[in-house]
């Protein structure tokens, strides 16, 4: 079993979900009392969020790059960044280490292709929805991406940072998210990527008939299987 290096804390609420899913997957595959070999480096999300707001991606790359290096030195065989947005700087983080990084968007593409999805709605932070670093991975694999309008992008982003990252789950926010999901479906999306690791705390598959692809679940399961040399 490979040792997983987790860069968490962005937010810590969703990092908890990563830990649960990884260990549940290992137990399901191996049985008995088996659990994952993993090392967690949890960053201070306040520092990362300030880098995002000020467009200081170089500073955030330094923080996460050093975190990845610490995990490598501690014995991690590969890195899992427990957030979507910070995959924007994966290429910069890779400069600090020699071990691989399991990319969240690439793992999501695999799941979309299994389901035959060629047009997908994307929810996430405004950085994920508006910038190309995440969407381009989907587009390069022949998947068309639709995102909410500018007003709804702000709603989605605000709920993430001002509620979900603080552990607050509100019924009115769930109602707004479901409305936005319905709108993306009307625009032709055959499914919705929950492209922020906190969104799965608010929206579940039982809340809608539209197929949801929770990147936290996808990424965490992929990490567990990769640690076992399974696909």
């Amino acid at each position: 079993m490979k040792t997983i290096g987790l860069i968490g804390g962005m937010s810590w609420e969703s990092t908890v979900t990563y830990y649960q899913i990884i260990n549940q997957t290992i137990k399901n595959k191996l049985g008995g009392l088996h659990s994952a070999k993993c090392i967690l480096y949890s960053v201070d999300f306040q520092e990362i969020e300030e880098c995002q707001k000020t467009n200081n991606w170089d500073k955030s790359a330094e923080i996460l790059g050093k975190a990845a290096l610490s995990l490598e030195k501690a014995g991690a065989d590969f890195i899992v960044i427990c957030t979507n947005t910070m995959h924007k700087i994966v290429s910069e983080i890779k400069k600090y280490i020699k071990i691989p990084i399991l990319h969240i968007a690439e793992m999501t593409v695999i799941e979309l292709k299994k389901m035959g999805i060629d047009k997908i709605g994307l929810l996430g932070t405004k950085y994920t929805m508006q910038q190309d670093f995440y969407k381009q991975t989907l587009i390069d694999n022949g998947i068309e991406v639709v995102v909410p309008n500018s007003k709804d992008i702000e709603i989605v982003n605000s709920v993430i940072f001002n509620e979900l990252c603080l552990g607050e789950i509100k019924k009115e926010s769930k109602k707004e998210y479901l409305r936005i999901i319905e709108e993306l479906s009307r625009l032709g999306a055959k499914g919705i990527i929950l492209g922020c690791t906190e969104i799965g705390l608010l929206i579940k598959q039982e809340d809608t008939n539209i197929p949801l692809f929770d990147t936290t679940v996808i990424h965490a399961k992929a990490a567990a299987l990769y640690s076992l040399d399974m696909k």
Side-chain angles (χ1 to χ4, degrees), residues 127-231:
Y127 312 105
T128 299
M129 291 185 285
Q130 292 176 331
Q131 298 178 18
D132 290 335
F133 69 91
Y134 193 100
K135 292 186 288 186
Q136 197 59 49
T137 300
L138 303 171
I139 294 167
D140 289 346
N141 283 275
I143 301 169
E144 185 179 351
V145 182
V146 290
V147 298
N149 61 45
S150 58
K151 180 181 177 181
D152 285 343
I153 282 175
E154 292 301 324
I155 291 172
V156 171
N157 189 75
S158 177
V159 169
I160 290 169
F161 284 103
N162 298 321
E163 297 174 23
L164 301 180
C165 285
L166 300 175
E168 296 180 12
I169 309 298
K170 297 183 178 180
K171 290 182 179 179
E172 55 268 32
S173 296
K174 173 179 279 194
K175 184 176 179 181
E176 280 290 89
Y177 266 53
L178 291 174
R179 175 188 63 77
I180 293 167
I181 287 170
E182 288 288 345
E183 178 60 27
L184 293 175
S185 178
R186 283 194 289 271
L187 293 174
K190 297 177 182 177
I192 304 294
I193 293 174
L194 306 185
C196 172
T197 50
E198 280 77 29
I199 296 178
L201 303 172
L202 179 68
I203 300 294
K204 310 291 184 184
Q205 186 60 73
E206 55 263 31
D207 296 320
T208 177
N209 293 324
I210 301 165
L212 301 180
F213 296 86
D214 188 336
T215 54
T216 303
V217 176
I218 292 169
H219 202 203
K221 285 184 176 179
L225 295 178
Y226 188 84
S227 75
L228 298 174
D229 289 321
M230 296 180 179
K231 294 183 179 179

Side-chain angles (χ1 to χ4, degrees), residues 4-20 22 38-43 45 48 52 64 71 79-87 90 93 101-104 165 195-198 215-217 219-220 223:
I4 307 168
L6 300 167
I7 303 179
M10 301 171 286
S11 65
W12 66 261
E13 283 89 352
S14 61
T15 303
V16 171
T17 306
Y18 267 88
Y19 187 75
Q20 289 177 328
I22 287 170
C38 60
I39 308 165
L40 171 63
Y41 190 115
S42 189
V43 301
F45 192 30
I48 300 298
Q52 292 174 349
L64 298 190
L71 290 169
I79 299 295
V80 172
I81 306 169
C82 302
T83 176
N84 283 268
T85 300
M86 299 316 294
H87 281 74
V90 161
I93 296 171
I101 296 176
L102 203 66
H103 198 293
I104 195 167
C165 285
C196 172
T197 50
E198 280 77 29
T215 54
T216 303
V217 176
H219 202 203

